[in-house]
Every structure is written in C-alpha cells, then in structure tokens.
Amino acid sequence: DYAVDKKTPDWCIFDDKPTIIGIVELTNFHIDRITETEIKRKIAENLMAVFWRDGKKDNVERLYHCIRQKADAYHALIDKLRTPYVISVFGEFQASIDFDEVRHCLFNEEIGLFEMYPDVSGVLYFQEESGRYFFKYAPNPQALHILDLPDGVFPAL
C-alpha cells in the first residue's frame, strides 16, 4: 500500500535509498461469473459443488483483458518513473489457467500484449499447490526496462 503518484501498486521494489526500482501489480484471475454463481447456489442449497475446467469456455480471452487492464492502468506511471513494471497473474484453484495461456496472451502474432506494451517488463505467473507457490516468469523481449526474475518454488522444495 505504498502510494506512488495516487496509485498503490501491490508491490514496490526499492533500492537502499529507498528509491523505487520496480513495480509489481497483481491480477487475480477468477472463474467466470456464471460458474461462480452456480457453485455458490449449490453450496447454499447444501449440495456438493464440484468444479472442473469447462473446455468450452475461453479463459484466454478473459485473461488477455485482465493483463491488458493492468498494463493500461500503470502505463502513465511507468512512463514517468522509467522503472521496470511486472504484471503478476495468480490463477486461483477454481480458475484453472496455465502458463501456455499466459504466453499466448503475451506473444501471439496478432494480439500479443508484449508488442503493444514495451513498458511492461514481464509477466510473473504463479499458482498455489499444496501450500507451495510455483512461479514462472515471461520476460518481455521488447521491454524498455529490464527486470529478470527466476522461475521457482516458495517455500523451496
């Protein structure tokens, strides 16, 4: 909740001064509203609610717009600060997305977000499994400001 020009990014990276040397903004990717409403209805009726990925639903299109919204929201600030900017995508358990879908949003020849947003340094995808967080990072090859982040697991295996 560190305020930066009337914005409050999820995470700021500081040097030892403390000067901001990077910003990370989180987007939580949730299931679609229809599925969420159905799960809540079943739970309210004391029925079992089971979720499985519906292959007919296009998570990529919704994911694309989530990432693009974060890129737009911080574009002016990143341009002003001239600092690395990473968008983080958390795929919650019910909203089953994978890293290939994230990469499609970023690198697709026709709609690739990295081509459109060189101020986005990269996208950090993570998911939680059995109390551990698994991270994968896609750096933007066109990035104006580089921030290298390793793939990994927290806590470490």
Side-chain angles (χ1 to χ4, degrees):
D1 292 335
Y2 185 82
V4 183
D5 277 12
K6 300 179 185 173
K7 297 241 184 227
T8 52
D10 291 306
W11 297 291
C12 291
I13 304 169
F14 296 95
D15 63 10
D16 58 353
K17 304 266 186 285
T19 302
I20 294 175
I21 59 170
I23 290 178
V24 180
E25 183 64 15
L26 173 66
T27 183
N28 288 300
F29 186 75
H30 299 281
I31 58 176
D32 63 279
R33 191 167 310 277
I34 293 169
T35 304
E36 182 179 22
T37 301
E38 180 67 13
I39 289 171
K40 287 179 180 179
R41 186 182 67 76
K42 294 284 188 186
I43 291 171
E45 294 173 357
N46 289 324
L47 300 173
M48 182 183 299
V50 177
F51 175 78
W52 67 94
R53 176 147 181 185
D54 184 345
K56 297 177 192 134
K57 293 187 178 166
D58 186 0
N59 280 336
V60 172
E61 184 176 340
R62 290 187 319 106
L63 176 62
Y64 178 88
H65 291 292
C66 286
I67 297 170
R68 186 172 185 172
Q69 182 180 15
K70 289 294 182 178
D72 284 335
Y74 279 80
H75 176 75
L77 177 63
I78 297 306
D79 188 49
K80 179 180 177 181
L81 295 177
R82 301 190 182 284
T83 191
Y85 174 50
V86 172
I87 298 170
S88 178
V89 176
F90 178 63
E92 69 167 29
F93 137 86
Q94 292 177 330
S96 178
I97 57 172
D98 60 37
F99 193 58
D100 288 337
E101 291 169 308
V102 172
R103 291 181 53 79
H104 178 82
C105 295
L106 304 175
F107 295 106
N108 180 278
E109 285 182 19
E110 297 172 20
I111 63 165
L113 291 169
F114 277 166
E115 188 77 30
M116 294 172 19
Y117 294 95
D119 54 330
V120 174
S121 304
V123 171
L124 179 66
Y125 167 77
F126 66 104
Q127 63 186 31
E128 186 270 334
E129 291 178 20
S130 303
R132 286 199 154 81
Y133 291 91
F134 293 82
F135 297 87
K136 289 190 178 271
Y137 184 63
N140 184 348
Q142 284 83 250
L144 297 173
H145 313 287
I146 305 296
L147 182 63
D148 287 324
L149 297 174
D151 293 348
V153 179
F154 179 82
L157 295 172

